[in-house]
């Protein structure tokens, strides 16, 4: 039985803006790393606070762990967006309406997800009751015996009068209102409602139910906007991050919740974002806008000391056989793009990975990917390596393993501050390179230490060093950052920690990241 949103239920939703009425943090910037002022938005006022004001610092716990119920054991939640629907294909605004169903392509995407997750074990599946999402969940869930729960709060964003309109019809009929939906969705209002604010409140409510469920591994199948809200509210981001963390059709995202020693859910890590059935680097639209400039963050393949050092602190080691395979698969994946330049850490494994990518790019004509050879500029950047910083830590770094979510939070503040400052300089250098006006389709590949990549993703989102424990990367992974408004505009995260291209050497999505054999 499918859910249909009624006018009365929407009115109730409108009255439930408890947290959003208090305040929503918004970083107002002229460049991605410009923190000269912040704006704190509420439902009734806008207040400017200066750079020196401590109130402008948003703790990642503000929207996340302090609002969620405590948990006793580690919990992993795997979020999947439904496959392509009939209204997706038509370019029609769906919202929480229930008139579209999966296309044949959408069913095929869901089947790809089923194969992707076939060896992964889940304790429970939560699904939106809307037909397109429910069908996707049924295909992925297959013949598993565990329970499948339809959850009302997982329905797509309520868009009221917009629902059912083709996008050009919405633009013609609603003019400025439709424009605000495109460029300022956080403050978008229609029919007396603020849909994105309502959605964020609903996502927080949904997390309360999911975290209270007695399960360690959860599959959650829902929609584009609601999955964005779930990811954002989990790691502590407000409504201004709508359309910044992409969710493609059948894209898979993973969140790890690790309790404090005394109980709670303070440690929340985005393990993966938007692992899609299709290419994670293909250019197209980001947040509804065409993008032509990208930064691709590549983690080098495994090294000879991987098993002892856990990929993080391997010294100046070359890659082992597995690492060589991983780098070749990454190079093949990136052949879909015309890479203009590659910046790498001077460490051997990073240089080897960068070289593998460069060789495949320059052989594009021989490989049938281009009609002419490609020229790739390669350079080494000391700022992309931070092992010397970690060696100054009083902590025994040999005990810090990359498989633990939020491992960067294990270090003292002096170390994370040094990493943050160095990553900021590296990030600015990359933005300057991306600003080259002579090349309007610039793609820059960056091969560096995972700590630097995590920090640069936080810089892209205009966060602070307190978020360094909120992201995770594996060996051989790639993460894609799009710039639909150019390098002076806001970055959009297309994917984080994508490893599907590694094939049989990819890490299963539900593989334990903690010392828990039963996870």
């Amino acid at each position: 039985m499918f859910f249909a949103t009624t006018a009365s239920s929407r009115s109730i939703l409108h009255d439930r803006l408890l947290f959003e009425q208090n305040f929503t943090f918004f970083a107002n910037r002229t460049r991605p790393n410009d923190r000269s002022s912040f704006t704190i938005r509420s439902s009734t006022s806008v207040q400017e606070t200066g750079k020196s004001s401590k109130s402008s610092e948003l703790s990642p716990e503000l929207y996340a762990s302090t609002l969620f119920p405590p948990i006793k054991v580690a919990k992993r939640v795997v979020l999947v967006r439904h496959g392509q629907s009939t209204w997706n294909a038509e370019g029609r605004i769906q919202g929480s309406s229930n008139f579209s169903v999966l296309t044949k392509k959408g069913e095929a995407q869901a089947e790809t997800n089923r194969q992707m997750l076939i060896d992964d074990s889940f304790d429970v599946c939560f699904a939106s009751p809307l037909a397109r999402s429910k069908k996707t969940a049924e295909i992925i869930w297959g013949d598993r015996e565990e329970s499948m729960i339809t959850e009302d709060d997982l329905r797509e964003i309520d868009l009221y009068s917009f629902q059912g309109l083709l996008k050009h019809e919405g633009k013609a009929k609603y003019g400025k209102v439709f424009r605000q939906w495109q460029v300022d969705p956080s403050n978008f209002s229609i029919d007396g409602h603020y849909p994105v604010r309502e959605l964020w409140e609903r996502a927080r409510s949904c997390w309360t139910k999911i975290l209270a469920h007695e399960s360690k591994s959860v599959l959650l199948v829902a929609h584009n906007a609601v999955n964005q809200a779930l990811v954002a509210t989990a790691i502590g981001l407000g409504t201004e991050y709508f359309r910044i963390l992409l969710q493609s059709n059948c894209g898979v995202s993973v969140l790890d919740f690790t309790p404090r020693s005394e109980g709670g859910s303070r440690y929340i890590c985005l393990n993966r974002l938007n692992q899609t059935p299709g290419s994670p680097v293909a250019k197209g639209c980001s947040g509804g806008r065409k993008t032509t400039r990208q930064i691709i963050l590549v983690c080098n393949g495994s090294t000879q000391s991987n098993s002892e050092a856990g990929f993080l602190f391997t010294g100046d080691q070359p890659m082992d056989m597995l690492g060589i395979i991983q780098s070749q698969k990454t190079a093949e994946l990136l052949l879909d793009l015309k890479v203009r330049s590659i910046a790498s850490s001077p460490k051997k494994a990073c240089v080897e990975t960068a070289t593998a990518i460069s060789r495949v790019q320059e052989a594009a004509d021989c490989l049938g990917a281009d009609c002419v050879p490609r020229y790739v500029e390669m350079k080494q950047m000391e700022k992309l390596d931070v092992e010397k910083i970690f060696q100054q830590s009083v902590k025994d770094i040999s005990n810090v393993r990359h498989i633990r979510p939020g491992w960067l939070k294990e270090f003292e503040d002096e170390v994370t501050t040094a990493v943050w400052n160095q990553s900021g300089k590296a990030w600015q250098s990359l933005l300057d390179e991306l600003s080259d006006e002579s090349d309007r389709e610039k793609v820059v590949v960056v091969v560096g230490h995972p700590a630097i990549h995590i920090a640069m993703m936080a810089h892209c989102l205009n966060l602070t060093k307190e978020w360094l424990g909120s992201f995770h990367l594996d060996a051989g992974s790639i993460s894609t950052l799009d710039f639909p408004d150019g390098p002076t505009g806001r970055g959009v995260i297309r994917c984080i920690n994508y490893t599907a291209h590694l094939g049989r050497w990819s890490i299963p999505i539900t593989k334990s990241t903690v010392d828990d054999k039963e996870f």
Side-chain angles (χ1 to χ4, degrees), residues 149-169:
I149 302 171
T150 54
E151 171 53 52
D152 195 50
D153 279 345
L154 288 176
R155 71 186 185 279
E156 183 58 301
I157 184 172
D158 299 313
L159 288 176
Y160 308 100
S161 295
F162 274 7
Q163 294 182 173
L165 296 176
L166 293 168
K167 293 176 182 178
H168 70 84
E169 292 174 340

mmCIF file of all heavy atoms in Angstrom, residues 149-169:
data_model
loop_
_atom_site.group_PDB
_atom_site.id
_atom_site.type_symbol
_atom_site.label_atom_id
_atom_site.label_comp_id
_atom_site.label_asym_id
_atom_site.label_seq_id
_atom_site.Cartn_x
_atom_site.Cartn_y
_atom_site.Cartn_z
ATOM 1 N N ILE A 149 11.125 -2.992 6.024
ATOM 2 C CA ILE A 149 10.214 -2.060 6.686
ATOM 3 C C ILE A 149 9.990 -0.837 5.793
ATOM 4 O O ILE A 149 10.947 -0.184 5.370
ATOM 5 C CB ILE A 149 10.773 -1.608 8.045
ATOM 6 C CG1 ILE A 149 11.019 -2.815 8.958
ATOM 7 C CG2 ILE A 149 9.845 -0.599 8.707
ATOM 8 C CD1 ILE A 149 11.768 -2.470 10.235
ATOM 9 N N THR A 150 8.742 -0.514 5.489
ATOM 10 C CA THR A 150 8.448 0.728 4.778
ATOM 11 C C THR A 150 8.279 1.844 5.804
ATOM 12 O O THR A 150 7.547 1.695 6.779
ATOM 13 C CB THR A 150 7.172 0.595 3.934
ATOM 14 O OG1 THR A 150 6.093 0.152 4.757
ATOM 15 C CG2 THR A 150 7.372 -0.370 2.792
ATOM 16 N N GLU A 151 8.985 2.941 5.567
ATOM 17 C CA GLU A 151 9.010 4.049 6.523
ATOM 18 C C GLU A 151 8.515 5.326 5.836
ATOM 19 O O GLU A 151 9.115 5.808 4.874
ATOM 20 C CB GLU A 151 10.421 4.242 7.069
ATOM 21 C CG GLU A 151 10.627 5.491 7.913
ATOM 22 C CD GLU A 151 9.610 5.590 9.042
ATOM 23 O OE1 GLU A 151 9.465 4.604 9.804
ATOM 24 O OE2 GLU A 151 8.955 6.633 9.136
ATOM 25 N N ASP A 152 7.426 5.880 6.371
ATOM 26 C CA ASP A 152 6.773 7.055 5.803
ATOM 27 C C ASP A 152 7.718 8.249 5.652
ATOM 28 O O ASP A 152 7.677 8.973 4.658
ATOM 29 C CB ASP A 152 5.606 7.419 6.722
ATOM 30 C CG ASP A 152 4.634 8.368 6.071
ATOM 31 O OD1 ASP A 152 4.216 8.097 4.942
ATOM 32 O OD2 ASP A 152 4.300 9.384 6.707
ATOM 33 N N ASP A 153 8.592 8.460 6.638
ATOM 34 C CA ASP A 153 9.479 9.619 6.614
ATOM 35 C C ASP A 153 10.555 9.528 5.528
ATOM 36 O O ASP A 153 11.265 10.500 5.289
ATOM 37 C CB ASP A 153 10.150 9.801 7.979
ATOM 38 C CG ASP A 153 9.245 10.515 8.973
ATOM 39 O OD1 ASP A 153 8.248 11.107 8.523
ATOM 40 O OD2 ASP A 153 9.529 10.480 10.186
ATOM 41 N N LEU A 154 10.686 8.364 4.873
ATOM 42 C CA LEU A 154 11.668 8.214 3.806
ATOM 43 C C LEU A 154 11.128 8.615 2.440
ATOM 44 O O LEU A 154 11.838 8.517 1.441
ATOM 45 C CB LEU A 154 12.168 6.762 3.748
ATOM 46 C CG LEU A 154 13.084 6.319 4.887
ATOM 47 C CD1 LEU A 154 13.427 4.842 4.742
ATOM 48 C CD2 LEU A 154 14.355 7.166 4.941
ATOM 49 N N ARG A 155 9.874 9.074 2.376
ATOM 50 C CA ARG A 155 9.347 9.537 1.097
ATOM 51 C C ARG A 155 10.160 10.745 0.612
ATOM 52 O O ARG A 155 10.864 11.391 1.395
ATOM 53 C CB ARG A 155 7.874 9.915 1.232
ATOM 54 C CG ARG A 155 7.630 11.182 2.032
ATOM 55 C CD ARG A 155 6.155 11.442 2.253
ATOM 56 N NE ARG A 155 5.954 12.718 2.920
ATOM 57 C CZ ARG A 155 6.068 12.918 4.216
ATOM 58 N NH1 ARG A 155 6.406 11.915 5.005
ATOM 59 N NH2 ARG A 155 5.867 14.115 4.740
ATOM 60 N N GLU A 156 10.038 11.049 -0.661
ATOM 61 C CA GLU A 156 10.793 12.154 -1.236
ATOM 62 C C GLU A 156 10.284 13.490 -0.700
ATOM 63 O O GLU A 156 9.197 13.578 -0.111
ATOM 64 C CB GLU A 156 10.696 12.095 -2.765
ATOM 65 C CG GLU A 156 11.507 13.145 -3.524
ATOM 66 C CD GLU A 156 13.002 13.121 -3.216
ATOM 67 O OE1 GLU A 156 13.353 13.293 -2.039
ATOM 68 O OE2 GLU A 156 13.801 12.968 -4.162
ATOM 69 N N ILE A 157 11.052 14.537 -0.936
ATOM 70 C CA ILE A 157 10.717 15.889 -0.492
ATOM 71 C C ILE A 157 9.315 16.281 -0.988
ATOM 72 O O ILE A 157 8.925 15.982 -2.114
ATOM 73 C CB ILE A 157 11.773 16.904 -1.004
ATOM 74 C CG1 ILE A 157 11.491 18.313 -0.462
ATOM 75 C CG2 ILE A 157 11.854 16.895 -2.517
ATOM 76 C CD1 ILE A 157 12.610 19.313 -0.786
ATOM 77 N N ASP A 158 8.525 16.931 -0.124
ATOM 78 C CA ASP A 158 7.199 17.424 -0.498
ATOM 79 C C ASP A 158 7.353 18.742 -1.259
ATOM 80 O O ASP A 158 7.816 19.730 -0.686
ATOM 81 C CB ASP A 158 6.346 17.650 0.749
ATOM 82 C CG ASP A 158 6.130 16.369 1.542
ATOM 83 O OD1 ASP A 158 5.799 15.349 0.917
ATOM 84 O OD2 ASP A 158 6.300 16.386 2.776
ATOM 85 N N LEU A 159 6.950 18.770 -2.531
ATOM 86 C CA LEU A 159 7.119 19.970 -3.353
ATOM 87 C C LEU A 159 5.782 20.597 -3.759
ATOM 88 O O LEU A 159 5.733 21.481 -4.609
ATOM 89 C CB LEU A 159 7.961 19.653 -4.593
ATOM 90 C CG LEU A 159 9.454 19.426 -4.310
ATOM 91 C CD1 LEU A 159 10.197 19.031 -5.561
ATOM 92 C CD2 LEU A 159 10.090 20.664 -3.677
ATOM 93 N N TYR A 160 4.705 20.117 -3.190
ATOM 94 C CA TYR A 160 3.409 20.779 -3.300
ATOM 95 C C TYR A 160 3.037 21.094 -4.751
ATOM 96 O O TYR A 160 3.006 20.202 -5.581
ATOM 97 C CB TYR A 160 3.391 22.009 -2.386
ATOM 98 C CG TYR A 160 3.812 21.640 -0.978
ATOM 99 C CD1 TYR A 160 5.099 21.888 -0.520
ATOM 100 C CD2 TYR A 160 2.925 20.983 -0.131
ATOM 101 C CE1 TYR A 160 5.489 21.503 0.757
ATOM 102 C CE2 TYR A 160 3.313 20.592 1.149
ATOM 103 C CZ TYR A 160 4.601 20.854 1.589
ATOM 104 O OH TYR A 160 4.987 20.453 2.843
ATOM 105 N N SER A 161 2.781 22.356 -5.088
ATOM 106 C CA SER A 161 2.284 22.713 -6.425
ATOM 107 C C SER A 161 3.265 22.413 -7.549
ATOM 108 O O SER A 161 2.878 22.374 -8.723
ATOM 109 C CB SER A 161 1.914 24.206 -6.467
ATOM 110 O OG SER A 161 0.825 24.481 -5.615
ATOM 111 N N PHE A 162 4.539 22.223 -7.226
ATOM 112 C CA PHE A 162 5.527 21.895 -8.255
ATOM 113 C C PHE A 162 5.357 20.469 -8.779
ATOM 114 O O PHE A 162 5.754 20.160 -9.906
ATOM 115 C CB PHE A 162 6.946 22.030 -7.690
ATOM 116 C CG PHE A 162 7.507 23.421 -7.773
ATOM 117 C CD1 PHE A 162 6.731 24.487 -8.192
ATOM 118 C CD2 PHE A 162 8.828 23.668 -7.443
ATOM 119 C CE1 PHE A 162 7.252 25.764 -8.271
ATOM 120 C CE2 PHE A 162 9.363 24.937 -7.523
ATOM 121 C CZ PHE A 162 8.569 25.982 -7.938
ATOM 122 N N GLN A 163 4.799 19.592 -7.967
ATOM 123 C CA GLN A 163 4.776 18.167 -8.295
ATOM 124 C C GLN A 163 3.948 17.890 -9.549
ATOM 125 O O GLN A 163 2.823 18.354 -9.685
ATOM 126 C CB GLN A 163 4.252 17.363 -7.101
ATOM 127 C CG GLN A 163 5.199 17.438 -5.919
ATOM 128 C CD GLN A 163 4.768 16.618 -4.726
ATOM 129 O OE1 GLN A 163 5.524 16.510 -3.778
ATOM 130 N NE2 GLN A 163 3.591 16.032 -4.717
ATOM 131 N N GLY A 164 4.553 17.153 -10.460
ATOM 132 C CA GLY A 164 3.907 16.790 -11.711
ATOM 133 C C GLY A 164 4.256 17.693 -12.878
ATOM 134 O O GLY A 164 3.999 17.348 -14.032
ATOM 135 N N LEU A 165 4.862 18.849 -12.594
ATOM 136 C CA LEU A 165 5.213 19.779 -13.671
ATOM 137 C C LEU A 165 6.512 19.360 -14.347
ATOM 138 O O LEU A 165 7.441 18.867 -13.699
ATOM 139 C CB LEU A 165 5.384 21.193 -13.115
ATOM 140 C CG LEU A 165 4.158 21.882 -12.496
ATOM 141 C CD1 LEU A 165 4.565 23.225 -11.910
ATOM 142 C CD2 LEU A 165 3.055 22.063 -13.539
ATOM 143 N N LEU A 166 6.566 19.550 -15.656
ATOM 144 C CA LEU A 166 7.855 19.485 -16.324
ATOM 145 C C LEU A 166 8.671 20.688 -15.879
ATOM 146 O O LEU A 166 8.109 21.733 -15.518
ATOM 147 C CB LEU A 166 7.673 19.500 -17.839
ATOM 148 C CG LEU A 166 6.997 18.257 -18.441
ATOM 149 C CD1 LEU A 166 6.619 18.518 -19.890
ATOM 150 C CD2 LEU A 166 7.921 17.047 -18.338
ATOM 151 N N LYS A 167 9.988 20.564 -15.892
ATOM 152 C CA LYS A 167 10.819 21.639 -15.347
ATOM 153 C C LYS A 167 10.613 22.956 -16.091
ATOM 154 O O LYS A 167 10.597 24.028 -15.474
ATOM 155 C CB LYS A 167 12.286 21.205 -15.360
ATOM 156 C CG LYS A 167 12.549 20.063 -14.385
ATOM 157 C CD LYS A 167 13.965 19.555 -14.437
ATOM 158 C CE LYS A 167 14.132 18.381 -13.474
ATOM 159 N NZ LYS A 167 15.492 17.805 -13.520
ATOM 160 N N HIS A 168 10.444 22.904 -17.409
ATOM 161 C CA HIS A 168 10.224 24.156 -18.149
ATOM 162 C C HIS A 168 8.849 24.739 -17.824
ATOM 163 O O HIS A 168 8.658 25.963 -17.854
ATOM 164 C CB HIS A 168 10.390 23.934 -19.653
ATOM 165 C CG HIS A 168 9.308 23.126 -20.296
ATOM 166 N ND1 HIS A 168 8.106 23.661 -20.718
ATOM 167 C CD2 HIS A 168 9.247 21.801 -20.588
ATOM 168 C CE1 HIS A 168 7.362 22.716 -21.243
ATOM 169 N NE2 HIS A 168 8.014 21.570 -21.182
ATOM 170 N N GLU A 169 7.890 23.885 -17.456
ATOM 171 C CA GLU A 169 6.581 24.377 -17.041
ATOM 172 C C GLU A 169 6.671 25.086 -15.695
ATOM 173 O O GLU A 169 6.034 26.129 -15.482
ATOM 174 C CB GLU A 169 5.588 23.214 -16.945
ATOM 175 C CG GLU A 169 5.245 22.588 -18.283
ATOM 176 C CD GLU A 169 4.370 21.352 -18.151
ATOM 177 O OE1 GLU A 169 4.331 20.763 -17.039
ATOM 178 O OE2 GLU A 169 3.722 20.967 -19.137
#
